[in-house]
Amino acid sequence: MKLNQAALLLSVISGATIGANGLSTFLPRNTRTLSFTRLSATPEATSEDKKVSDEDEKANEKKVADLQKAAKAKAKKTESAGFDKKQAAQKKKAADKKKAKTEKAAKAAAMKAEEEAAVLKAEEESQIAAEKEAARVKAEEEAKIKAAKEEAAKIKAEEEAARIKAEEEEAARIKAEEEAKIAAEKEAAKIKAKREEAARVKAEEQEAARVKAEEQEAARVKAEEEAKIAAEKEAAKIKAEEEAKIAAEKEAARIKAEEEARVKAEEEARIAAEKEAARIKAEEEARIAAEKEAARIKAEEEARIAAEKEAARIKAEEEARIAAEKEAARKAEEDARIAAEKEAARIKAEEEARIKAEEEAERARLRAISAEAEAKQRSILGERLQREAAERAVIKARIEAEAARKAAIAEARKQPKPADVEKNLADKYGAMGNEERAFSILVDLGIVELSLEPEDTVDPDDFAAN
């Protein structure tokens, strides 16, 4: 941009020289003013301003070319009118001077083009360094995410092992209860066989009593009374066994309900874990999308920079070509060259400062993004670890409570018991009725849990009615 403006300024100055020979009326005053204004333009101009400047430059170049053509035409006309030899010598001298200054201006343009190439090379090197820094930050972020994923997988494996162990223990408990149920059924079958044997013996005794009834009427009456009493006792015993069976069935129903509740709780925990995994996956996809968007923006920026470099290269070539072709550049004063060099140095310094500031800002932004992502991952991992620790504590408490209940039941089933224990049990439960005693034993063993809510309190009479 600055090289093109300097060449245009030289063209305008050349136009002013031609005007000194009698053609100043062809060079508008606003054209010269516009050229000097362009030279002092700041490098922060927008793309729209650059577009307008390019159009104005083309218009000015066309005007200068028209003026040069007009000057040549007038020169030919003057020569054809019959200039003397002195005027011809002066023109030749002026042409030689113009040629020398044109060569000098071309050399200056070549030097400026080399300086512009050096600036472009420095920009490319700084861009490469920025890309390397971004790649390093990205690699560190990926390594941290990978470590977090490995930690999460390890925690999940430990949780899965604990769940499998709990399921195996639960299966062992259910198997033990099934074996206990089978043993109870066998015991009931044995009791039934004893009852049938007792009934058969009773029938035989009744037959013998009937045979002896004719000789011993009084003995038969007494025997029948004893048989009646024994039958009532046997009926009471059968009723108690039936009630115990009903209680056992209720206990089995309660265990089944607990198992269903446990399975439901595990399913809910699994669903929650899946939701958590889906949420983490969504966050990871959002992060990847953000990285892709950043990569897309970076690619667009690189393409824009490449396009600007190509445009600058083409423009520099065009300016060099125009500077070489313009024979009207006569009066390239040394002060203008020095001013142009100072302006180029100032622009170069400003551009270097801007690039350095942008690189520093980009590095700070990348560090901030990396720190934010790391803090977010740490927060997510900490929350998950706390939640999983709470869940493991709940599972442990349940397992310990179940173990305590099993231990209490096992202790209650031990026979025979010490005399002092038998005495304590007799003192505690002896005065109770059958239903109240059964209910109290179930409560003490933890098989039945009493609710503190008034509407949920279980009445022993209701339990007996069921």
Side-chain angles (χ1 to χ4, degrees):
M1 175 67 71
K2 293 298 181 181
L3 293 175
N4 194 22
Q5 293 171 352
L8 184 60
L9 177 62
L10 294 174
S11 299
V12 173
I13 294 172
S14 299
T17 304
I18 295 171
N21 292 329
L23 300 178
S24 58
T25 56
F26 288 92
L27 185 60
R29 182 178 300 275
N30 57 354
T31 303
R32 292 191 295 272
T33 305
L34 179 62
S35 300
F36 281 101
T37 302
R38 289 178 182 276
L39 184 61
S40 62
T42 60
E44 290 81 11
T46 60
S47 59
E48 188 65 23
D49 295 334
K50 290 181 180 178
K51 185 176 178 181
V52 175
S53 299
D54 293 338
E55 292 176 354
D56 293 337
E57 287 174 0
K58 289 180 180 179
N60 290 332
E61 289 171 359
K62 187 176 179 181
K63 289 179 181 180
V64 171
D66 293 337
L67 291 173
Q68 290 174 352
K69 288 180 181 179
K72 288 180 180 179
K74 190 168 184 179
K76 283 184 179 181
K77 185 177 180 180
T78 305
E79 289 176 355
S80 63
F83 273 105
D84 57 0
K85 293 181 180 181
K86 185 177 179 180
Q87 289 176 337
Q90 289 177 353
K91 288 181 179 179
K92 183 179 180 181
K93 185 178 179 181
D96 294 337
K97 188 177 180 181
K98 173 186 173 183
K99 184 177 180 181
K101 290 185 178 182
T102 303
E103 291 175 353
K104 189 175 182 181
K107 289 181 181 180
M111 291 175 63
K112 290 179 181 179
E114 290 176 355
E115 291 175 355
E116 185 69 15
V119 171
L120 293 176
K121 184 177 180 180
E123 290 177 351
E124 290 176 353
E125 290 176 352
S126 63
Q127 182 68 26
I128 292 170
E131 290 175 354
K132 289 181 179 179
E133 181 66 17
R136 184 185 65 77
V137 173
K138 184 178 180 182
E140 291 177 354
E141 183 180 357
E142 290 176 350
K144 291 176 182 178
I145 293 171
K146 183 178 179 182
K149 287 182 178 178
E150 290 175 354
E151 184 66 18
K154 182 179 178 182
I155 293 171
K156 186 176 181 181
E158 293 176 353
E159 181 183 32
E160 184 67 17
R163 185 183 64 79
I164 293 171
K165 184 177 179 181
E167 289 178 354
E168 289 175 353
E169 291 176 354
E170 186 66 19
R173 181 184 69 78
I174 294 171
K175 183 178 179 181
E177 290 178 354
E178 289 291 333
E179 290 175 354
K181 184 177 179 181
I182 292 170
E185 290 175 354
K186 288 181 179 179
E187 186 68 20
K190 196 181 289 185
I191 293 171
K192 185 177 180 182
K194 288 181 180 179
R195 290 175 185 171
E196 291 175 354
E197 182 66 20
R200 187 181 63 78
V201 171
K202 181 180 178 182
E204 290 176 355
E205 289 175 354
Q206 288 176 353
E207 184 66 20
R210 189 182 61 79
V211 171
K212 291 173 69 175
E214 296 176 354
E215 297 176 353
Q216 297 178 348
E217 183 64 20
R220 183 186 64 78
V221 173
K222 184 178 180 181
E224 287 178 353
E225 186 65 26
E226 291 174 352
K228 183 178 180 181
I229 293 170
E232 290 176 353
K233 289 181 179 180
E234 185 65 21
K237 183 178 180 182
I238 291 169
K239 182 179 179 182
E241 290 175 351
E242 288 296 329
E243 291 174 348
K245 182 178 179 182
I246 291 170
E249 289 176 351
K250 288 182 178 180
E251 175 63 16
R254 185 189 64 79
I255 292 171
K256 183 178 180 181
E258 290 179 351
E259 180 64 19
E260 290 175 351
R262 183 186 64 79
V263 171
K264 183 178 180 181
E266 290 178 351
E267 183 66 17
E268 291 175 350
R270 183 185 64 79
I271 292 170
E274 290 177 352
K275 288 181 178 178
E276 178 65 15
R279 185 181 64 77
I280 293 173
K281 183 178 179 182
E283 291 179 350
E284 182 67 16
E285 290 175 350
R287 185 188 64 78
I288 292 171
E291 290 178 351
K292 288 181 178 179
E293 180 65 16
R296 184 186 66 77
I297 293 171
K298 182 179 178 182
E300 290 178 353
E301 183 66 16
E302 291 175 349
R304 184 186 64 77
I305 293 171
E308 289 179 354
K309 288 180 180 178
E310 181 65 18
R313 185 186 64 79
I314 293 171
K315 190 174 182 180
E317 292 177 354
E318 184 67 16
E319 289 172 352
R321 184 185 63 80
I322 292 171
E325 290 177 351
K326 285 184 177 181
E327 297 177 353
R330 299 184 175 205
K331 200 175 179 180
E333 296 292 336
E334 188 67 20
D335 293 339
R337 181 184 66 80
I338 294 172
E341 289 177 352
K342 288 181 179 180
E343 182 66 14
R346 185 185 65 79
I347 293 171
K348 182 178 179 182
E350 290 178 353
E351 187 67 14
E352 289 175 350
R354 182 186 64 80
I355 293 171
K356 185 176 180 181
E358 289 178 352
E359 290 175 352
E360 185 64 27
E362 182 65 17
R363 283 196 292 271
R365 187 181 68 81
L366 293 173
R367 286 195 295 269
I369 292 172
S370 177
E372 183 179 0
E374 181 179 358
K376 188 174 183 181
Q377 290 294 330
R378 288 183 180 275
S379 176
I380 292 171
L381 183 59
E383 291 175 359
R384 185 171 181 181
L385 290 174
Q386 291 177 357
R387 184 170 58 256
E388 289 174 350
E391 291 175 355
R392 284 197 293 270
V394 171
I395 293 171
K396 183 178 179 182
R398 290 178 180 174
I399 293 172
E400 290 176 353
E402 185 65 19
R405 187 180 69 82
K406 289 180 180 178
I409 294 172
E411 183 65 25
R413 288 177 177 173
K414 286 183 180 179
Q415 295 294 337
K417 296 185 182 297
D420 56 340
V421 176
E422 289 287 350
K423 184 176 181 303
N424 291 334
L425 293 174
D427 293 338
K428 185 174 183 179
Y429 302 112
M432 299 180 183
N434 291 333
E435 293 82 5
E436 185 180 1
R437 184 186 305 118
F439 179 79
S440 298
I441 290 171
L442 292 174
V443 171
D444 293 339
L445 291 177
I447 297 174
V448 173
E449 295 181 357
L450 295 178
S451 174
L452 296 179
E453 296 296 332
E455 60 272 20
D456 295 335
T457 304
V458 179
D459 190 352
D461 295 334
D462 295 338
F463 181 84
N466 293 331

